[in-house]
Amino acid sequence: MKLLTTSHFCELVSAVGFDAFNRSLIRTLEEDFSRWERFHRSPRHAVHYPHGVIELMPMADNSLYAFKYVNGHPGNTRLGKLSVVALGLLADVDTGYPRMLCEMTLLTAFRTAATAALAARYLARSDSRCLALIGTGAQAEFQVASLRTLLPLQSLRYFDLDPGAMEKLARNLKGEGLELRPACDVAEAVDGADVIVTATAAKRRNRILTRGMILPGVHIHAMGGDCPGKTELAPDLLDGSKIVVEYLAQSRDEGEIQNRPDVSVHAELWELVTGRKPGRVAADEITLFDAVGFALEDFSALRLVDRLSDELGIGDEVDLIPEPGEPKDLYSLLVGPKTAPTRSQTRRSVTPSMSRRGLSSASSRPTKPGSWETPRKA
């Protein structure tokens, strides 16, 4: 079975190129959302505690099965730990054999931001130039990078209750060609913005944005409200907004719409991708992508990384699956002679470059110190 550690994943992104990897992930997400009805779908399984949540997120088609283990503990940063960590597994449906175990803390940040960009393709104005970020934690830079692949963003306004997080964002995005404008509060940050991303972590019913703050034509990507009892928007903002969700059965309990059970939801994201329903149809519409994070996005991310890691020769082969000489004689591995072949655990080196595979890294942004800030979950 293949193992991709955090170091392997950073190596893979470096080989492919940051921007090229983002674009590939957005394309893979669009491919999988376009075949929505071929998936075996279910809400995630979550165990909630007063201080956090631990979740399993499964998804499968008729060829591959994937699941992610992920937590959400907002108070962890006070302990010097990440608020969110994740691991993912990809398996072959035909045999049930796992084929890859992968780090998913960084990969979740990429897929969360790529999903935001995919939704913005259908819901944001194509001439959007000003992005506002409310919450500048571990997810922030990934959101900016992905949205810039599809929108002509020129300026970024941002606010966080933690001044250190704001300084971190400015440090990481310095020299990236954006006008960076720190704000003193939420209202200042969103004033004049074309796209607003809310990415806060506090597990409570917040009212970060209200209807009076939002101008016509704005697209809102609300990603911080992602479990029961955790929201970011005032209920009045839902009225008059064109609301799109990932998976209604999950979003009803976890998203912003949990505050308004009777609110009208325009579509699930797959319906926009397949053209069954329209996205933005007027320049003055207020659109809202009520994102909670759905397992299909993890499936897409794992599927892409599995392919790229094979092409690049990145990863370790580990013997987490026993291989007795006789399939029915598992016991012999413990008491009899070793019949299973010894697997090499020598790390493989990168082989062909992605530039020869249509994913040139020439235009990718360079990796800078601090650019691998570990992300939070949508």
Side-chain angles (χ1 to χ4, degrees), residues 17-261:
F18 193 104
D19 290 340
F21 183 80
N22 253 329
R23 291 191 296 270
S24 295
L25 184 51
I26 294 169
R27 286 195 299 270
T28 305
L29 284 165
E30 191 161 30
E31 290 171 6
D32 285 342
F33 271 102
S34 70
R35 58 190 188 99
W36 175 266
E37 294 171 310
R38 299 181 187 177
F39 284 95
H40 304 271
R41 304 177 303 276
S42 65
R44 58 183 151 214
H45 177 269
V47 179
H48 295 276
Y49 302 94
H51 55 285
V53 62
I54 295 176
E55 302 168 343
L56 290 177
M57 301 176 65
M59 180 59 59
D61 60 11
N62 289 330
S63 298
L64 295 171
Y65 177 97
F67 77 85
K68 180 173 76 174
Y69 165 92
V70 64
N71 78 308
H73 286 63
N76 272 6
T77 54
R78 295 192 295 271
L79 305 174
K81 295 180 180 292
L82 301 172
S83 295
V84 172
V85 294
L87 296 171
L89 185 140
L90 189 68
D92 289 312
V93 167
D94 285 347
T95 64
Y97 266 48
R99 58 186 294 155
M100 180 180 69
L101 181 64
C102 182
E103 91 77 39
M104 280 206 75
T105 311
L106 287 163
L107 185 52
T108 292
F110 269 105
R111 72 82 159 140
T112 301
T115 305
L118 178 60
R121 172 179 288 166
Y122 299 95
L123 295 172
R125 298 196 327 271
S126 60
D127 63 348
S128 295
R129 288 177 169 77
C130 180
L131 171 65
L133 266 179
I134 309 303
T136 60
Q139 177 67 37
E141 294 87 347
F142 294 88
Q143 288 285 321
V144 175
S146 284
L147 288 168
R148 289 186 77 188
T149 64
L150 298 179
L151 297 174
L153 298 177
Q154 297 176 351
S155 64
L156 172 65
R157 302 178 182 183
Y158 55 98
F159 174 74
D160 196 292
L161 293 174
D162 178 6
M166 294 177 65
E167 293 169 4
K168 177 268 303 181
L169 178 76
R171 182 173 65 249
N172 285 339
L173 296 183
K174 183 180 180 180
E176 293 294 334
L178 279 173
E179 178 190 5
L180 303 178
R181 300 176 60 181
C184 296
D185 55 30
V186 173
E188 181 182 349
V190 303
D191 184 29
D194 301 307
V195 177
I196 301 170
V197 175
T198 57
T200 62
K203 190 178 179 181
R204 59 175 179 265
R205 294 188 184 276
N206 292 297
R207 300 293 184 267
I208 294 169
L209 296 181
T210 63
R211 180 66 182 86
M213 295 179 178
I214 307 303
L215 298 174
V218 169
H219 170 58
I220 302 168
H221 175 61
M223 58 163 281
D226 57 4
C227 69
K230 184 172 183 276
T231 59
E232 297 179 308
L233 310 183
D236 67 346
L237 182 51
L238 302 181
D239 298 324
S241 297
K242 175 176 279 186
I243 301 172
V244 175
V245 300
E246 291 143 306
Y247 181 46
L248 187 58
Q250 182 174 296
S251 299
R252 283 289 185 196
D253 294 329
E254 299 181 353
E256 296 299 325
I257 59 175
Q258 67 183 277
N259 279 332
R260 294 293 299 273

